[in-house]
Amino acid sequence: MDKTYIEVEEAAHTMKLLGDRTRLTLLGLLYSGECCVCELVEVLQMSQPSISQHLKKLRDARLVKEKKKGQWVFYSLNTSHETYPIVHQVLKQIPDQKEKLRALEDKGLRIQCD
Amino acid sequence: MDKTYIEVEEAAHTMKLLGDRTRLTLLGLLYSGECCVCELVEVLQMSQPSISQHLKKLRDARLVKEKKKGQWVFYSLNTSHETYPIVHQVLKQIPDQKEKLRALEDKGLRIQCD
DNA sequence: TGTTTATATAAGTGTTTGCTTATATAATGT
DNA sequence: ACATTATATAAGCAAACACTTATATAAACA
């Protein structure tokens, strides 16, 4: 079995996670840099538990990494995931989510750390 | 809105269809050339209605095209679908399904037409 | 015409999904 | 210590999903 390929089962699992508008947008946001949960909630205009539950799925699949900083939890893409090449290809082809983060910044809601 | 990008909603819909082991394998098979339903049933070792229902979903999304030839229906990838670039990127990165079709041929179960 | 073969569709069912509201946990600030 | 803020988790629920079995449709063939 040629291991340069991603197995069908695993690829399908990743695709399933990308197959939801909310999660795909979350990943698109993280594609332009790490974000904390409250920013994601603000941008997506969805309930905090809903966003947290989506993040849990992405975390369980190890598609995203988390980093705690004080009261915040910052999420970022796990670029060393076996299926990241696919994720990357997909994210490259959807609209850039950066401007949504810029809009957040304008409202003074962007979380700075370090 | 930059139309060189695939909208998030549409990308998510396609990803959802790819997010199932059976459908991803079906698309992988079609990636190596058109197949008729009975071949797909034979390769995937699943019930004919189940395969037909998966094909219907892919057809409804226009990810695949159908071509009737006598009693058979041949399916192929719709390479002009708006999200085909993504589909292509994904299929490129999963194991080649050609050998499964070759095995069919060895059993004399491959359908020839033209 | 009647039978076989290929495919689609319908109906039923248990499982999974994506939300909701409520609550728990943990760090921050007073 | 206590209130606030950020996040996670639990429980409940309607809708979507992926099968199953049964049946419909249509072409091929004896």
Side-chain angles (χ1 to χ4, degrees), chain B residues 63-96:
Chain B
L63 287 180
V64 300
K65 296 180 293 184
E66 63 168 356
K67 183 168 67 185
K68 296 188 185 180
K69 287 226 180 158
Q71 61 189 320
W72 297 290
V73 179
F74 285 81
Y75 281 90
S76 56
L77 293 184
N78 176 11
T79 55
S80 37
H81 192 277
E82 195 184 8
T83 64
Y84 182 72
I86 292 183
V87 174
H88 175 74
Q89 291 298 329
V90 175
L91 296 180
K92 254 175 44 182
Q93 287 176 89
I94 61 171
D96 197 338

Side-chain angles (χ1 to χ4, degrees), chain A:
Chain A
M1 199 69 83
D2 189 341
K3 292 306 287 178
T4 61
Y5 288 116
I6 292 148
E7 292 309 313
V8 174
E9 189 72 51
E10 182 161 20
H13 182 226
T14 294
M15 292 302 100
K16 187 172 211 167
L17 288 168
L18 302 199
D20 173 271
R21 188 199 152 79
T22 302
R23 282 190 301 265
L24 190 53
T25 307
L26 282 174
L27 293 171
L29 286 162
L30 300 182
Y31 189 57
S32 57
E34 68 176 17
C35 293
C36 81
V37 182
C38 60
E39 293 172 322
L40 299 169
V41 168
E42 181 65 27
V43 169
L44 281 157
Q45 291 283 292
M46 287 179 63
S47 76
Q48 175 268 317
S50 190
I51 297 298
S52 270
Q53 284 157 10
H54 282 297
L55 287 170
K56 177 177 169 51
K57 290 193 180 189
L58 296 173
R59 214 171 56 219
D60 287 350
R62 301 188 333 285
L63 288 180
V64 299
K65 296 179 293 184
E66 63 168 357
K67 184 168 65 185
K68 297 188 184 181
K69 288 225 180 160
Q71 59 188 323
W72 297 289
V73 180
F74 286 81
Y75 282 90
S76 57
L77 293 185
N78 176 9
T79 55
S80 38
H81 192 277
E82 195 182 6
T83 64
Y84 182 73
I86 292 183
V87 174
H88 175 74
Q89 290 297 330
V90 175
L91 296 181
K92 254 176 43 182
Q93 287 176 91
I94 60 170
D96 196 338
Q97 309 291 316
K98 249 175 220 141
E99 68 178 74
K100 289 178 186 166
L101 291 172
R102 230 174 288 121
L104 251 200
E105 211 153 343
D106 295 346
K107 286 196 275 177
L109 294 172
R110 198 86 162 93
I111 308 295
Q112 309 287 353
C113 50
D114 302 331

Side-chain angles (χ1 to χ4, degrees), chain B residues 35-61:
Chain B
C35 293
C36 81
V37 181
C38 60
E39 293 172 323
L40 298 170
V41 168
E42 181 65 27
V43 168
L44 281 157
Q45 291 283 294
M46 288 178 64
S47 76
Q48 175 268 316
S50 189
I51 297 298
S52 270
Q53 284 157 8
H54 282 298
L55 288 170
K56 178 178 168 51
K57 292 197 176 186
L58 296 173
R59 214 171 56 219
D60 287 351

